[in-house]
Amino acid sequence: MPERSISKDDPKQLKALQRGWCLGGSQFREELLAAMHELTGVHHGGEERRETDETWARRLLAEELNGRGNRPRDLALRRKGDAVKVRMARRLRTEATMTLDWIAKELKMGTAGSLANLLRKKK
């Protein structure tokens, strides 16, 4: 255990501990993020909320892609205003708290402004 402890003399290690909120492997981190999605409140900091929200949005996106038999790289092959992409963007906008910039980038839909125009159009 002493070998695993963080030295107070090493500012890099100490800063990582002070800024980080999760000590553990990536699977443990994913489980925590999934649990936090339901429990995040106003008392949680911005970094934790952003990471939790992004993880949730990526799960929704993966669910949409898998349900349609697509892969993330297939998004670049479709038109920016493709009806399937617009439906996926609507779901992300409704069920996740990601920005239009983030959604447009992830779905390969151009700019946030053009995505906003597509979302305003009738279904």
Side-chain angles (χ1 to χ4, degrees):
M1 200 58 158
E3 298 86 36
R4 299 186 80 191
S5 67
I6 293 185
S7 170
K8 293 179 182 174
D9 299 330
D10 187 352
K12 256 188 180 174
Q13 284 184 337
L14 192 56
K15 188 172 185 175
L17 180 63
Q18 290 171 339
R19 290 187 162 261
W21 62 270
C22 177
L23 297 175
S26 60
Q27 183 178 356
F28 177 66
R29 185 181 189 91
E30 290 298 317
E31 290 171 9
L32 279 179
L33 288 168
M36 279 184 66
H37 176 71
E38 299 296 324
L39 303 173
T40 303
V42 294
H43 57 282
H44 288 96
E47 181 64 24
E48 292 89 354
R49 290 184 98 151
R50 186 201 57 74
E51 191 170 356
T52 301
D53 293 343
E54 186 171 335
T55 300
W56 178 250
R58 288 192 187 285
R59 283 185 180 193
L60 291 175
L61 180 57
E63 187 179 298
E64 282 288 318
L65 289 170
N66 291 337
R68 297 177 187 334
N70 292 316
R71 293 172 303 236
R73 66 176 177 222
D74 296 337
L75 292 170
L77 302 175
R78 294 180 175 270
R79 288 184 9 236
K80 291 177 185 176
D82 184 80
V84 171
K85 285 178 152 183
V86 173
R87 280 194 291 277
M88 291 162 78
R90 276 198 180 101
R91 180 172 182 206
L92 284 170
R93 195 69 176 151
T94 303
E95 297 180 31
T97 58
M98 300 313 292
T99 64
L100 287 175
D101 282 328
W102 187 91
I103 294 171
K105 180 182 169 209
E106 292 298 312
L107 295 179
K108 314 286 188 269
M109 295 183 77
T111 66
S114 61
L115 174 58
N117 287 333
L118 289 167
L119 292 175
R120 270 189 225 112
K121 293 181 181 178
K122 291 192 178 201
K123 299 177 187 181

